Amino acid sequence: MKHMNNNLFKAACTSVALLLASNGVFAQTPGTASPMAIYRASATKVNALVHTKLDVRFDYAKRFLYGKEWATLKPYAYATDSLNLDAQGMDIKSVAMVNGKSLQPLKYKYDQEQIRINLGKKYLPGQTYTIYIEYVAKPDDLKVKGSAAITDAKGLYFINPDSAVKNKPVQIWTQGELQSSSAWFPTLDRPNQKTTSEIIMTVPSKYVTLSNGKLTTQVKNANGTRTDTWKMDLPHSTYLFMMAVGDFKIYHDKWKEKEVNYYLEPAYAPYAKQIFGTTPEMIELYSKLLGVDYPWNKYSQIVARDYVSGAMENTSATLHGEYVQRTPREMLDENFDKAESTIAHELFHQWFGDYVTAESWSNITVNESFANYSEILWAEHKYGKDAADDHNYKDLVSYLGDKENYSKNLVRFNYQEKEDVFDLVSYQKGGRILNMMRNFLGDEVFFKGLNIYLKQNALKNGEAHLLRLAMEEASGKDMNWFFNQWYFGAGHPVVKIDYAWDEASKTQKVTVTQSQSGAPFTIPMAIDLYTGKNKQHYQVTLKDAVQTFAFQSATRPDLVNVDADKVVLWDKTDNKTAEAFSFQFFNAPLYLDRLEAVLYASKNQTSPDALKVLLAALNDKYYNVRLTALKVLNLKDAAIAKTAIPAVEKLAAADPNNIVKANAISVLGATNNPAYLPLFNAALGSQSYAVQGAGLVSLAKQKPDQAFTAAKSFEKDNKGLLTTAMMYVFATSGTEKEVPFFANNFSDKSKQEQYNAIPMYLSLVGKTADKAALERAVDDAKNFGLALKSQGLNQYIAGLLSQLKESAIGKTDPGYIDKAIEELK
């Protein structure tokens, strides 16, 4: 699973900041564990699932699922005469033992959470039996809560089933992780249970279906329905079961002789290849790296409306949120770390998560840390090392950005809620730990270890100790120290790096001081010494709280580059000189070498060395170095502006990356120089929504009437940053006539689009005298805040509504606003 709370609202914030330099932003990090954490043992296996057969049909009006189930099980280790199945909020019609062709009713008790079944006799370990259950699932009646990672937990979702929302498709889809499959079929809903499956769906014949495994039969029925049967002949965990139903167009691709299919809404079907077309190449890459071919009989991807997270790696059938579904124009403004990284992430789960599944949520690292790291593997293969290192660094910064992460082990047996482990530690920190392990062991041994882990635990469950043993088998090295430190311990090194040159002994000293609480970390790493164009490479191991490394050198080095491979997960203060950082930018080989130098230079831009670095960064080969330089340049300083503006103009006119180009246009827009008006007007004709948006906001600062006219002309075709820019123009220059731009189909917009819109929507409504528009805007904002209360956005919305209450129209209807604020508490 890839959840969106790290990227969803941060992306929105970036959009607004880029175009508007607006009043601050709100980005929520994943939820953290309660101080009242409880030890969570792995689920005890009394019975083991063998095969699960489901026959389901849907009542769209009631939002019910009518199901029949044949569950084949066997006692796991001890004889038993009972079976407890998870089943959330269902009507249980009958429970029976299958005896040949007949059904023998069984006694059971049901408390709306579990069915406790008396099997009628004792069954011995390994002795199979089949239970038949007829039931009704009523997901909308469940009283369940979501989390920051997964915003709902009712398992089965009817999207617009009554077609009440115009132009919104009718869909059904499921979400099993963490423990929600038991909201739509009775089962042993634990990750350490695996079963083969057969899912039979009867649906309106106009719709297509998707589920795990292979579509084996389709039968047209006389009543206008069709019955589809999907079979998965390899065992997989119950939380990975899935169904999807709706009006989707299917694009058929392949990898070797296996089906690779893309399910999209009809409007996006022409772009299927652009959206998902790298998938076969990804499958090939991962199969080769792991030495294990893609294990399932097909791979399909589907995009669903109103999805409750980012994406989900259901076995052989990944479900994506609608942000993955976009037009070629939208894709012009993307870099790898948007939808494409999610596609890579979910695919890698088919090995790490589905083929070998975490035995409990405590060990979710063996699912999610690997999927996170797979994004790096794909970026490195497809876009080069700079792109991979950039993605790595952003994840490191995300982890370091929340101090609540520092006290959490990667493998956690103590937590309050199972959702707590789906956080920046399991994802971002875990991915960086794998990166360090790969660097320490080397590529050949690292991937050999992954191969051993996958083959030894194929179609079973895995955990961190099994991973350690596989790495030890591959390397011949003891890895306990690494796993104890990084998997079963918390935190990270906090270091200060100091340098001293002894001319008399021709010795370069490097002192690394660890200041974090607890024991010092053991850190294998590289240190490079540069003297002119000559580089000496050293492998060292940091073990002590204060440790000095000494190197002989004929002359004083121009640069001592600690952690030369830029892989260590730490929070460092590097006391290099300005001259050393400048040398690092121009001579050290890695993306982070250059980025660190740019960030250092940003602190003292009047220094000749610093300005030289920043100007060179504007012409760097990698887009994010150019983008960072643009963002940190202090163009309010006349001398800096005089030197740097020509390079910024060049980026604004012709940078190959549209986000860099848009930022450069925004930088020039902030100067309010009328000489750039032709540039801004030219930007309005770009195919890039980001470039158009930057041009529109820049134009609005000098020619608001022209910008307003231009914004009106874009009403039929706008996305992303252009939409945000239009909102800005309408909020600052519009009237009640522009309120429908915000209000129409607001509930049908993605959560990110809603988040972008709400501050400017409320600002515009606050300038009108339309009480009905005010109340609708308040309702729209309130509903958004309530839907994402688990991420803390109810408080953010309450603050915006408090500001709205101070407007002229707000003062005429304060009771309505107060009521909404109260509901948001």
Side-chain angles (χ1 to χ4, degrees), residues 398-538:
S398 292
Y399 160 72
L400 292 175
D402 185 352
K403 291 183 179 180
E404 291 188 3
N405 295 317
Y406 299 176
S407 61
K408 299 175 183 177
N409 293 359
L410 183 57
V411 177
R412 264 167 283 167
F413 293 101
N414 294 80
Y415 52 83
Q416 182 66 22
E417 302 288 347
K418 54 189 177 295
E419 290 82 5
D420 294 343
V421 300
F422 286 76
D423 61 7
L424 290 162
V425 176
S426 296
Y427 286 72
Q428 282 77 2
K429 183 183 182 184
R432 311 297 65 73
I433 290 169
L434 289 170
N435 194 46
M436 287 190 293
M437 190 191 303
R438 177 186 174 189
N439 181 264
F440 173 67
L441 295 175
D443 278 13
E444 183 177 351
V445 171
F446 177 74
F447 289 112
K448 180 182 178 182
L450 299 190
N451 175 269
I452 292 170
Y453 172 80
L454 288 172
K455 288 182 175 178
Q456 289 181 344
N457 303 290
L459 301 172
K460 297 186 292 186
N461 292 98
E463 49 112 330
H465 282 301
L466 294 174
L467 177 63
R468 174 183 61 81
L469 291 170
M471 290 301 176
E472 289 184 343
E473 182 176 339
S475 66
K477 296 175 181 284
D478 174 75
M479 294 294 289
N480 271 295
W481 68 270
F482 186 94
F483 278 77
N484 288 340
Q485 176 173 275
W486 291 112
Y487 280 78
F488 302 105
H492 55 269
V494 178
V495 304
K496 176 171 67 77
I497 307 172
D498 295 302
Y499 306 87
W501 169 251
D502 187 328
E503 179 65 30
S505 62
K506 301 294 183 181
T507 303
Q508 175 66 57
K509 294 181 178 180
V510 181
T511 299
V512 183
T513 304
Q514 299 191 50
S515 60
Q516 73 280 353
S517 60
F521 279 73
T522 297
I523 306 169
M525 62 180 175
I527 297 179
D528 286 351
L529 269 63
Y530 289 79
T531 305
K533 295 298 181 181
N534 296 320
K535 180 177 76 172
Q536 294 174 288
H537 184 76
Y538 300 92

Side-chain angles (χ1 to χ4, degrees), residues 15-85:
S15 303
V16 177
L18 165 66
L19 295 172
L20 314 178
S22 64
N23 303 330
V25 294
F26 184 94
Q28 185 72 14
T29 55
T32 55
S34 163
M36 300 296 291
I38 301 167
Y39 176 74
R40 303 293 183 179
S42 300
T44 300
K45 294 182 181 180
V46 177
N47 289 279
L49 287 166
V50 177
H51 182 70
T52 302
K53 178 181 176 180
L54 303 173
D55 187 345
V56 304
R57 57 189 176 89
F58 307 95
D59 186 326
Y60 284 79
K62 293 181 179 179
R63 305 186 184 198
F64 287 179
L65 175 151
Y66 299 99
K68 298 176 183 179
E69 177 176 6
W70 295 261
T72 301
L73 304 99
K74 60 184 178 182
Y76 185 76
Y78 304 99
T80 185
D81 60 1
S82 63
L83 169 66
N84 295 341
L85 294 177

Side-chain angles (χ1 to χ4, degrees), residues 281-299:
E281 186 180 349
M282 289 179 180
I283 297 174
E284 179 70 13
L285 172 68
Y286 294 154
S287 295
K288 284 185 174 180
L289 287 176
L290 299 173
V292 176
D293 275 359
Y294 175 78
W296 311 106
N297 55 16
K298 69 106 170 34
Y299 187 56

